[in-house]
Amino acid sequence: MPRLPPIGIRRLEALHYYVHDLERSRRFYTRMMDFAETATTSPEHEAALHQRSALFEAGDVRVLVSQPTGTGTSDASLFLRKHPDGVGMLVFEVEEIETAFRLLEERGGTPTTDVVTVRDGGGTFRTFGITTPFGDTEFRFVERRGFPAPYPYLEPLPAPPGGSNRFGFGHIDHVTSNFLTMKPALLWMEHVLGFEEFWEVQFHTSDVGGERKAAMAAHGSGLRSVVMRDPHSGVKFANNEPWRPDFQASQIQLFHEDLRGDGIQHAALTVKDILAATRGLRERGVEFMPTPASYYERLPERLERTGIGELDEDLAELRDLEILVDGAGKGSYLLQIFLRDSAGLYGEPEAGPFFFEIIQRKGDPGFGAGNFRALFESIEREQDREGRG
Ligand SMILES: [Fe+2]
């Protein structure tokens, strides 16, 4: 397909997260992640919108968090009627809102309103949203011209409480979503948004050596992934679907059950120094998904086999912090680690299955596919050691 004219996305600027407990999110972002709380809804806006919101920022990462208040209908309450806590909206900054609207509508996008203009302090904030094949997640496009606040209805806090981004978060590297079938979303991204396929991988238990396939199936390893990219802005979406024959046991199917639908599974945040960031976050009590020790026993051999060779980092330190490594060429790799999902973190299913990834790229443009297999092989090894499997 010839490349479509760009809708003019500049960047993915924010996640809008709908939650039952804004205070808990506030503690997580400001005290643990060292984000600054930069704006909140006023009591008047809360009463009018039936939701209370707060904006948390670190580097170019923005997370807007909203909790329903009272009994009125709000965006947050509509989402939470159907789902546990989750990302119900992605916000994109665009160059020209009218161009984005016209192109999206021409190509079959479904705006939920006309372009809405909010004026304040001599500036304008113009926006519209569209429905998407990402479950109940809306995509919202915004254009600002001298608008004084980050978003209408939010009042900037003169002295933002919370952090100063001591962990060095940069921007949202990619957003990963799970679907029972991803093709409608891939086609929509291609034909409506004008994105292109960037990367593809299939991972299955049959890829794993040894004779533990049945045991591995219990861990739900079958999945297929396609990454779509906006050639104009470089914004990337990774997309997963379950893969036969263990479809029901796939982690993607399990996610779908937990969220009660398709939707956004994780967002990856870039950092400049993942070792320092992970060490600091652990000291503050942030919990990460565990990595088996056997992953690191096999790492030197894997670095050899994949041609990555020597790392700048000390392997013992990576092992202590449980940071993962992937890549495909000499000296070109990425380092990544995944936080525990909210439901696991809070011991509460209604906190939802969303989680953050932290990523430091050192020349590798991938998404850590090599770690899928390495992690499953490590689990298998642990099972052997424990006499299971
Ligand atoms: Fe990721």
Side-chain angles (χ1 to χ4, degrees):
M1 195 172 105
R3 190 174 275 190
L4 294 170
I7 56 177
I9 292 175
R10 279 202 177 122
R11 65 191 186 107
L12 169 58
E13 65 168 40
L15 313 173
H16 196 163
Y17 201 4
Y18 297 129
V19 302
H20 289 91
D21 186 348
L22 179 59
E23 263 321 302
R24 184 166 70 187
S25 297
R26 178 170 279 133
R27 285 194 296 276
F28 175 77
Y29 289 104
T30 61
R31 291 197 205 158
M32 297 173 92
M33 298 284 274
D34 207 45
F35 279 49
E37 182 175 349
T38 56
T40 53
T41 39
S42 64
E44 302 82 68
H45 282 137
E46 268 178 49
L49 300 170
H50 307 292
Q51 61 185 20
R52 181 178 304 153
S53 305
L55 182 64
F56 304 99
E57 297 188 61
D60 288 330
V61 181
R62 281 180 168 174
V63 184
L64 182 58
V65 183
S66 295
Q67 175 194 331
T69 52
T71 52
T73 299
S74 62
D75 291 346
S77 73
L78 286 173
F79 186 90
L80 294 172
R81 251 177 234 170
K82 294 162 77 175
H83 309 284
D85 293 3
V87 176
M89 183 194 290
L90 296 180
V91 185
F92 301 86
E93 184 188 10
V94 294
E95 286 155 8
E96 292 277 344
I97 199 84
E98 297 290 351
T99 306
F101 187 93
R102 180 176 54 77
L103 289 173
L104 286 169
E105 198 171 46
E106 269 173 25
R107 297 176 195 164
T110 311
T112 54
T113 61
D114 290 330
V115 174
V116 173
T117 303
V118 183
R119 291 175 212 285
D120 190 9
T124 57
F125 179 97
R126 309 191 69 207
T127 186
F128 69 95
I130 58 174
T131 54
T132 73
F134 292 64
D136 287 306
T137 306
E138 178 187 9
F139 282 10
R140 182 150 285 276
F141 302 90
V142 305
E143 175 209 279
R144 296 180 186 81
R145 300 269 189 254
F147 196 73
Y151 298 104
Y153 317 118
L154 285 188
E155 313 214 325
L157 294 167
S164 53
N165 194 19
R166 77 178 62 188
F167 304 123
F169 292 113
H171 62 273
I172 302 170
D173 181 90
H174 62 272
V175 166
T176 296
S177 305
N178 289 341
F179 305 88
L180 283 191
T181 176
M182 67 179 162
K183 195 69 179 180
L186 300 180
L187 290 170
W188 181 83
M189 278 184 264
E190 183 185 353
H191 291 268
V192 179
L193 299 184
F195 284 25
E196 295 174 347
E197 188 171 320
F198 179 63
W199 184 85
E200 185 173 0
V201 70
Q202 300 175 346
F203 175 79
H204 202 268
T205 49
S206 58
D207 293 342
V208 178
E211 298 166 358
R212 298 290 183 276
K213 286 179 200 166
M216 294 302 297
H219 293 276
S221 53
L223 67 87
R224 196 150 42 173
S225 289
V226 174
V227 178
M228 299 295 289
R229 175 177 175 272
D230 176 19
H232 186 71
S233 63
V235 163
K236 290 189 275 297
F237 286 106
N239 309 282
N240 302 317
E241 66 180 13
W243 203 22
R244 72 179 192 283
D246 306 311
F247 194 96
Q248 296 301 332
S250 165
Q251 55 161 295
I252 310 306
Q253 163 78 27
L254 299 178
F255 172 93
H256 182 93
E257 287 169 20
D258 290 343
L259 187 68
R260 303 193 286 275
D262 291 344
I264 293 170
Q265 180 206 39
H266 75 262
L269 310 181
T270 63
V271 288
K272 284 191 210 74
D273 181 350
I274 197 169
L275 276 78
T278 306
R279 200 179 302 115
L281 289 163
R282 284 191 184 281
E283 279 165 12
R284 284 194 167 197
V286 172
E287 293 180 50
F288 296 88
M289 292 188 199
T291 308
S294 49
Y295 173 90
Y296 296 95
E297 289 164 18
R298 290 185 162 196
L299 187 56
E301 182 263 325
R302 229 183 101 219
L303 293 174
E304 193 67 35
R305 182 164 35 81
T306 50
I308 298 171
E310 290 278 303
L311 300 181
D312 298 336
E313 294 74 18
D314 178 26
L315 289 191
E317 206 175 346
L318 292 178
R319 187 188 59 219
D320 286 349
L321 293 166
E322 302 191 47
I323 291 167
L324 306 171
V325 187
D326 196 34
K330 185 147 184 53
S332 155
Y333 57 98
L334 63 81
L335 301 166
Q336 63 184 170
I337 190 164
F338 300 94
L339 272 68
R340 283 187 78 188
D341 72 355
S342 301
L345 202 58
Y346 298 116
E348 187 193 309
E350 287 307 295
F354 176 81
F355 59 88
F356 283 106
E357 169 185 347
I358 295 175
I359 187 166
Q360 181 184 358
R361 293 193 181 277
K362 303 190 80 164
D364 186 83
F367 296 84
N371 281 325
F372 296 180
R373 179 191 294 221
L375 281 173
F376 283 115
E377 283 175 349
S378 295
I379 291 166
E380 186 182 41
R381 230 177 185 214
E382 301 276 307
Q383 287 172 337
D384 279 349
R385 216 173 267 167
E386 291 163 19
R388 291 187 287 133

